Amino acid sequence: MPVSPLSDLSLYTPEDMGRVDQLASASVPVSTLMDNAGRAVARAVRRYMRPCRVLVLCGPGNNGGDGFVAARYLAEAGWPVAVAEMASSRAGSAVAEASARFEGVRVPFALAEVERADLVIDAVFGAGLSRDVTGLPADLLRAARKVVAIDIPSGIDGGTGQVRGSAPHTAMTVTFCRFKPGHLLYPGRSFMGRLVLADIGMPQVALEQVPPQVCQNAPGLWRLPEPGPESHKYTRGVVSLCAGQSMPGAARLCAGGARAVGAGLVRIAAGKDAPAYRLGAPGLVIDEGPLDSLLADKRRAVWVCGPGLTEGEVTQTLPALLKAQKCVLADAGALSAAAGHPEKLRGVAVITPHIGEFTKLFGAPGANPPDSVRKAAAQINAVVVLKGASTLIAAPDGRLAINDHASPALGTAGSGDTLSGVIAALLAAGMPAWDAACAGVWLHGEAGIQAGAWPIAEDLDRYLGPAREKATRMQHEYGEMCRGSLAGSHALG
């Protein structure tokens, strides 16, 4: 999976990247950036591929210009290269200049040429795709034996990861400056092959003028609280769970996740159903008293409502939690109880739906899941965690994180309950809601990776501590990188 340098986890949408390109042109010629991009593609091909017959398919835009440059550098390195141009570039443009500098073989934009090539470089369309890819370009890319894409495979929407028309499954994708959301979001991610991020000398001043609101989720994005020498169970945070009668296992899994990731104290509000929870872990506190009396304890600020609860049980508990102004994470039964009426969730801090629960609440995400999740977060004024192969974490203010640090092994019953407990523990430790959600999703994903193949939800608890240790270590390394960079800037100043 791709990982941005911890010093910058920002992702640029195609629109953001277009603005950066425009600003950059004021200080760096487009032809210079294009030359840097094409050279980076040629370098990546030479590093990861063996010499072979190469055909570069060039579109009329800047992506095609990058292709001409890559073809020139590969030819200069002795590779047999030909270029097939889909359409002529605009006279006087940087693309036309790149085309003129390529003095190698040119062939028709035709199926027969693709069939003769061992490797096709896709420089037809970039991340700013505005229409479906069909017809001859789609046919040619579909027929290629092996494809390397420049920027993004033609046909993948750079902002959403959706397939527009047709797209080739590539062996490698070389992009520039920043990853785009479409590089990390499924189904697009499955078309990327090896992802290579290349520095092409984009002016820092241009990047600073376009602050992105989308980030790749990793430990450089948030900071885990670290217990001090005087910490105790209440400073580390108390997590309380609303328990139900019919599915006690869900609450136990949630409690296990909270305890394993560092909560100081975890309590299950079971009421009359307390006997069903007595056989849980010895460090788990089971409360039999009425909910009203438990809510009076100001130390119990964070509550999880939903895992293992029926709609009727949610109706009895969630309004009471919100009236008491508790910090609430809503999942499972609480989401089902609000199906079609998301306004019932206003007042909660975080919700963690899977795609089915999200659809019942807000409608299907459609062709633009990032936009749908952002709108949902704004609608209920809460952080929304849309769980999936690439989990989306949206804040009401428009911030969005994409988490691709996970394992398919997490697709097992109860895994989501564990995640709810992890996020709740971080909320109880004092992390803001969006940070806690991002950190919880990453830690949960790391635990799944460490658990290996075919774990069950009960296994994940054993790996949450090591996952937290890894995140803390990465954050310390990031801090050293930043301090070193700062020291270097003073030395140069």
Side-chain angles (χ1 to χ4, degrees):
M1 62 188 64
V3 178
S4 300
L6 282 180
S7 57
D8 198 331
L9 294 164
S10 57
L11 304 173
Y12 275 2
T13 64
E15 294 76 18
D16 288 339
M17 202 66 242
R19 291 174 59 202
V20 170
D21 288 340
Q22 186 176 15
L23 291 165
S25 65
S27 56
V28 179
V30 173
S31 58
T32 299
L33 295 174
M34 188 173 289
D35 194 81
N36 292 344
R39 182 167 50 191
V41 172
R43 186 184 301 119
V45 170
R46 292 178 63 191
R47 178 178 180 183
Y48 296 111
M49 309 282 175
R50 293 182 176 181
C52 60
R53 291 171 297 180
V54 179
L55 174 66
V56 184
L57 298 178
C58 291
N62 285 354
N63 200 247
D66 298 340
F68 276 112
V69 175
R72 173 164 55 87
Y73 279 110
L74 285 173
E76 289 176 357
W79 287 47
V81 181
V83 169
E85 195 171 8
M86 186 177 77
S88 298
S89 53
R90 180 173 53 84
S93 66
V95 182
E97 180 183 339
S99 173
R101 293 187 66 187
F102 175 71
E103 298 177 351
V105 177
R106 296 174 186 255
V107 297
F109 196 81
L111 185 60
E113 302 300 333
V114 170
E115 291 174 341
R116 275 193 282 268
D118 301 308
L119 172 66
V120 169
I121 295 181
D122 171 14
V124 183
F125 302 109
L129 185 69
S130 59
R131 60 183 177 86
D132 290 355
V133 175
T134 58
L136 185 58
D139 293 340
L140 266 57
L141 289 169
R142 194 181 299 117
R145 293 190 185 94
K146 180 182 290 186
V147 178
V148 169
I150 296 181
D151 194 19
I152 202 165
S154 292
I156 301 297
D157 189 301
T160 68
Q162 300 296 301
V163 180
R164 301 196 59 172
S166 175
H169 286 273
T170 68
M172 180 169 66
T173 298
V174 184
T175 192
F176 318 111
C177 185
R178 299 287 187 273
F179 287 126
K180 319 306 182 293
H183 288 126
L184 308 186
L185 293 169
Y186 282 87
R189 177 64 187 93
S190 63
F191 287 73
M192 299 296 152
R194 180 192 298 272
L195 259 176
V196 177
L197 179 63
D199 180 2
I200 60 171
M202 189 67 70
Q204 187 63 30
V205 64
L207 298 171
E208 291 172 352
Q209 292 182 69
V210 186
Q213 286 196 307
V214 186
C215 295
Q216 184 180 13
N217 190 29
L221 186 63
W222 31 265
R223 189 156 196 87
L224 293 171
E226 297 185 35
E230 297 185 356
S231 297
H232 50 80
K233 62 186 177 184
Y234 290 110
T235 59
R236 284 175 56 177
V238 181
V239 174
S240 300
L241 294 86
C242 297
Q245 181 180 20
S246 59
M247 290 182 286
R252 287 177 180 165
L253 288 168
C254 183
R259 295 184 68 213
V261 86
L265 179 62
V266 179
R267 308 184 67 148
I268 294 183
K272 61 182 176 57
D273 299 316
Y277 293 86
R278 290 296 183 200
L279 296 179
L284 194 59
V285 179
I286 310 300
D287 295 311
E288 296 186 21
L291 182 61
D292 289 346
S293 65
L294 305 179
L295 294 176
D297 188 343
K298 294 183 178 180
R299 297 172 300 184
R300 304 179 67 169
V302 175
W303 286 71
V304 179
C305 181
L309 299 186
T310 64
E311 183 174 342
E313 290 166 337
V314 170
T315 302
Q316 295 172 11
T317 56
L318 183 57
L321 297 176
L322 298 178
K323 184 178 180 181
Q325 297 185 323
K326 299 298 183 181
C327 176
V328 179
L329 184 148
D331 186 27
L335 306 182
S336 297
H341 299 280
E343 67 277 2
K344 292 181 179 180
L345 296 171
R346 288 190 66 87
V348 305
V350 181
I351 67 171
T352 55
H354 54 60
I355 186 64
E357 292 165 334
F358 184 93
T359 299
K360 290 178 181 178
L361 278 167
F362 304 103
N368 195 334
D371 187 56
S372 297
V373 176
R374 277 179 162 147
K375 288 179 178 177
Q379 182 178 352
I380 63 171
N381 195 35
V383 172
V384 176
V385 178
L386 177 55
K387 298 177 290 192
S390 295
T391 293
L392 296 172
I393 307 113
D397 62 8
R399 286 175 295 168
L400 180 74
I402 300 174
N403 186 82
D404 64 325
H405 185 77
S407 161
L410 291 172
T412 183
S415 173
D417 300 317
T418 301
L419 174 62
S420 294
V422 172
I423 297 174
L426 300 177
L427 288 169
M431 291 184 74
W434 190 69
D435 296 60
C438 291
V441 169
W442 191 93
L443 292 170
H444 186 249
E446 175 64 22
I449 292 169
Q450 292 196 25
W454 307 112
I456 56 177
E458 293 91 321
D459 294 336
L460 296 176
D461 294 358
R462 292 184 290 148
Y463 299 97
L464 285 167
R468 183 162 182 163
E469 288 180 6
K470 180 175 179 178
T472 300
R473 183 171 64 252
M474 291 174 68
Q475 289 173 336
H476 288 166
E477 292 170 356
Y478 172 56
E480 291 299 323
M481 287 167 54
C482 290
R483 282 189 287 274
S485 176
L486 185 61
S489 66
H490 285 305
L492 292 171

